[in-house]
């Protein structure tokens, strides 16, 4: 070290971190302060609450396989009126890792009292007598939101595992946590592109967008005219003062150029939400030709920008949505997201149920 370096080092100002102390999961949950809250839209949470959820999740990462008994004696109910693998399993795994137990119903229209015409309102009132928290997936978001509003204090905390085509906040939280861990914790420095032929039914992408808006990130949409972002999401984005732009009907070459021009850091692909046999699926797959991102294209972007753009996908994926060769490259984030889903959902359940 030369004399100049020594002088500069001597002039450097150092300060103690406010509140410096060993990490304490109990105090961290107190700081988050969302015990007993429902989660319907991701913007139900403030930027500080979101940040504290992510800090809690990072503290829980060492235990996502081995477990830590913070919710011993607590019960999670998962009630899914639509198919699910990742959302249901990750919440159930998270509860087990926290030392709790689960009640699960994955086919309520066949094997629960819903098959006997019990209302959703009454089902939730009944479940609230058994469990401490409910993760619910339902095809009708208007009905669910209306029923939750009528319940008032007569229900346990209800977490949306996906309502209709509009909201999927736990997926959005997972996507945000993955971005937070991959790029650092300053969302103001991030630009995320959400690309799909159908933004009108991209509930995972739209939930991600609401979270990004809450935290100050820039959002670039690429979709098709006639299947644009729903008004309910646009209104929320506008209320949040979101920095977002929506492009429509771009070619594959234009999509690639847009990523360069907008200095995109992450590319998010919500995937096809239209089930096999339903109207619109074939049209979606056909339109995907212009949204088919390849390893070669990502390599070109890296060569021109000097930056590797991470690729995220909500899964499950279908042939023709993007180049599966991305799996074995540095760009792949969609399988890494799965690894982060358990600690993130451990954090969500712990904070909503609370610790004593």
């Amino acid at each position: 070290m030369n004399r100049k370096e020594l002088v500069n080092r001597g002039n450097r100002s150092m300060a103690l971190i406010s509140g410096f102390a060993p990490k304490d999961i109990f105090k961290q949950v107190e700081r988050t302060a969302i015990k007993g809250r429902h989660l319907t839209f991701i913007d139900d949470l403030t930027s500080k609450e979101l940040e504290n959820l992510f800090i809690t999740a990072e503290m829980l990462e060492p235990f996502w396989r081995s477990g830590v008994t913070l919710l011993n004696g607590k019960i999670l109910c998962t009630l899914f009126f639509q198919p699910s693998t990742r959302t249901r399993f990750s919440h159930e795994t998270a509860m087990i890792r926290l030392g709790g137990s689960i009640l699960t119903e994955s086919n309520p229209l066949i094997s629960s009292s819903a098959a006997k015409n019990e209302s959703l309102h009454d089902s939730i009132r009944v479940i609230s007598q058994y469990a401490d928290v409910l993760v619910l997936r339902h095809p009708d978001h208007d009905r669910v939101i209306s029923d939750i509003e009528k319940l008032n204090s007569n229900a346990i905390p209800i977490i949306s595992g996906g309502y209709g085509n509009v909201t999927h906040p736990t997926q959005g939280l997972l996507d945000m946590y993955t971005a937070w861990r991959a790029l650092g914790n300053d969302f103001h420095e991030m630009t995320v592109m959400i690309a799909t032929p159908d933004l009108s039914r991209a509930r995972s992408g739209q939930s991600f967008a609401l979270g990004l808006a809450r935290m100050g990130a820039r959002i670039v949409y690429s979709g098709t005219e006639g299947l644009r972002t729903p008004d309910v999401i646009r209104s929320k984005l506008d209320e949040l003062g979101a920095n977002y732009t929506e492009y429509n009907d771009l070619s594959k070459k234009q999509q690639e150029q847009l990523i360069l021009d907008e200095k995109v850091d992450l590319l998010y692909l919500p995937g096809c939400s239209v089930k096999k046999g339903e109207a619109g699926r074939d049209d979606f797959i056909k339109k995907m030709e212009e949204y088919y991102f390849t390893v070669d294209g990502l390599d070109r972007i890296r060569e021109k920008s000097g930056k590797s753009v991470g690729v995220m996908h909500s899964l499950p994926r279908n042939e023709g949505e993007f180049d599966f060769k991305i799996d074995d490259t540095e760009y792949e984030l969609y399988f890494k997201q799965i690894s982060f889903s358990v600690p993130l959902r451990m954090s969500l359940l712990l904070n909503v149920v609370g610790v004593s």
Side-chain angles (χ1 to χ4, degrees):
M1 187 178 293
N2 59 38
R3 186 175 183 279
K4 183 177 180 181
E5 288 172 327
L6 284 169
V7 171
N8 288 339
R9 184 174 179 180
N11 292 334
R12 191 178 302 158
S13 176
M14 300 292 288
L16 288 174
I17 300 169
S18 177
F20 176 69
K23 291 181 178 180
D24 185 325
I25 193 73
F26 296 95
K27 289 183 179 179
Q28 179 56 38
V29 171
E30 287 179 11
R31 278 191 288 271
T32 310
I34 61 170
K35 181 179 179 179
R37 296 256 296 273
H38 299 315
L39 179 60
T40 302
F41 287 96
I42 201 168
D43 61 309
D44 293 342
L45 302 172
T46 67
S47 58
K48 195 63 180 176
E49 289 166 347
L50 288 167
E51 182 183 19
N52 276 314
L53 270 176
F54 301 151
I55 293 171
T56 310
E58 191 169 22
M59 291 172 72
L60 290 167
E61 277 187 24
F63 309 103
W64 80 280
R65 284 285 192 183
S66 60
V68 56
T69 55
L70 293 169
L71 291 183
N72 187 37
K74 301 297 184 181
I75 296 175
L76 161 70
C77 177
T78 52
L79 181 64
F80 279 60
F81 286 82
Q82 292 176 298
S84 172
T85 299
R86 282 154 293 276
T87 302
R88 185 165 67 88
F89 282 7
S90 61
H91 280 96
E92 292 175 358
T93 301
M95 192 60 166
I96 292 169
R97 296 290 190 240
L98 288 167
S101 304
I102 58 171
L103 298 171
T104 185
E105 176 55 79
S106 60
N107 199 5
L109 293 176
I110 299 296
S111 54
S112 83
S113 289
K116 296 185 284 187
N117 206 36
E118 181 174 64
S119 68
L120 180 62
H121 174 278
D122 286 358
S123 292
I124 294 173
R125 286 289 299 270
V126 170
I127 290 167
S128 295
Q129 308 307 308
Y130 305 135
D132 298 284
V133 59
L134 168 65
V135 176
L136 172 66
R137 173 169 287 190
H138 198 280
D140 188 340
H141 80 276
D142 288 327
R143 178 183 168 191
V144 174
I145 293 169
S146 175
D147 281 353
I148 290 174
E149 289 174 349
K150 292 174 186 175
L151 286 162
N152 296 320
S153 61
N154 295 316
I156 53 177
I158 303 167
I159 297 170
S160 167
Y163 298 157
N165 295 316
V166 176
T167 177
H168 194 349
T170 64
Q171 178 68 50
L173 284 173
L174 169 57
D175 298 330
M176 289 185 68
Y177 183 59
T178 304
W180 190 79
R181 292 287 277 108
L183 297 177
N185 57 16
D186 189 355
F187 283 94
H188 290 88
E189 297 296 320
M190 296 183 199
T191 298
V192 179
M193 179 171 163
I194 300 171
T196 173
D198 189 355
L199 287 167
S200 70
R201 288 182 282 195
R203 67 183 182 185
S204 62
Q206 299 297 0
S207 293
F208 189 20
L210 289 178
L212 291 168
R214 172 68 83 189
M215 299 300 281
R218 173 163 167 69
I219 304 154
V220 179
Y221 284 113
S222 179
T224 56
E225 193 64 44
L227 296 170
R228 303 178 70 208
T229 296
D231 289 341
V232 63
I233 300 297
R234 286 179 175 277
S235 295
K236 284 179 168 292
L237 289 170
D238 291 339
E239 288 171 10
L240 291 166
N243 182 357
Y244 73 100
T245 308
E246 186 169 321
Y247 298 86
N248 289 295
D249 302 320
L250 300 182
S251 67
K252 192 183 301 184
K253 186 175 181 180
Q254 288 173 320
Q255 304 262 17
E256 196 172 304
Q257 188 60 47
L258 182 62
I259 292 172
L260 285 166
D261 292 343
E262 296 284 1
K263 297 180 173 59
V264 168
D265 301 296
L266 294 172
L267 172 62
Y268 189 82
L269 310 175
C272 182
S273 62
V274 186
K275 295 179 185 177
K276 289 182 179 179
E278 289 187 1
R281 183 178 177 84
D282 290 343
D283 186 51
F284 181 98
I285 298 300
K286 183 178 179 181
K287 288 178 179 177
M288 275 304 304
E289 293 174 6
E290 299 300 343
Y291 298 80
Y292 189 85
F293 294 94
T294 66
V295 173
D296 289 343
L298 293 168
D299 284 344
R300 283 192 295 271
I301 291 167
R302 183 182 57 189
E303 289 167 7
K304 293 177 182 178
S305 67
K307 180 169 64 177
S308 296
V309 175
V311 179
M312 303 172 74
H313 191 287
S314 56
L315 301 178
R317 61 184 180 175
N318 300 278
E319 289 286 348
E321 288 190 37
F322 64 94
D323 183 359
F324 287 3
K325 292 179 182 177
I326 294 171
D327 291 3
D328 301 315
T329 70
E330 63 189 297
Y331 310 118
E332 181 274 313
L333 289 176
Y334 35 89
F335 287 122
K336 294 182 179 70
Q337 289 172 252
I338 304 302
S339 300
F340 288 117
S341 68
V342 176
L344 183 278
R345 281 154 184 168
M346 287 172 73
S347 172
L348 179 60
L349 292 171
L350 184 65
N351 279 288
V352 167
V353 175
V355 291
S356 55

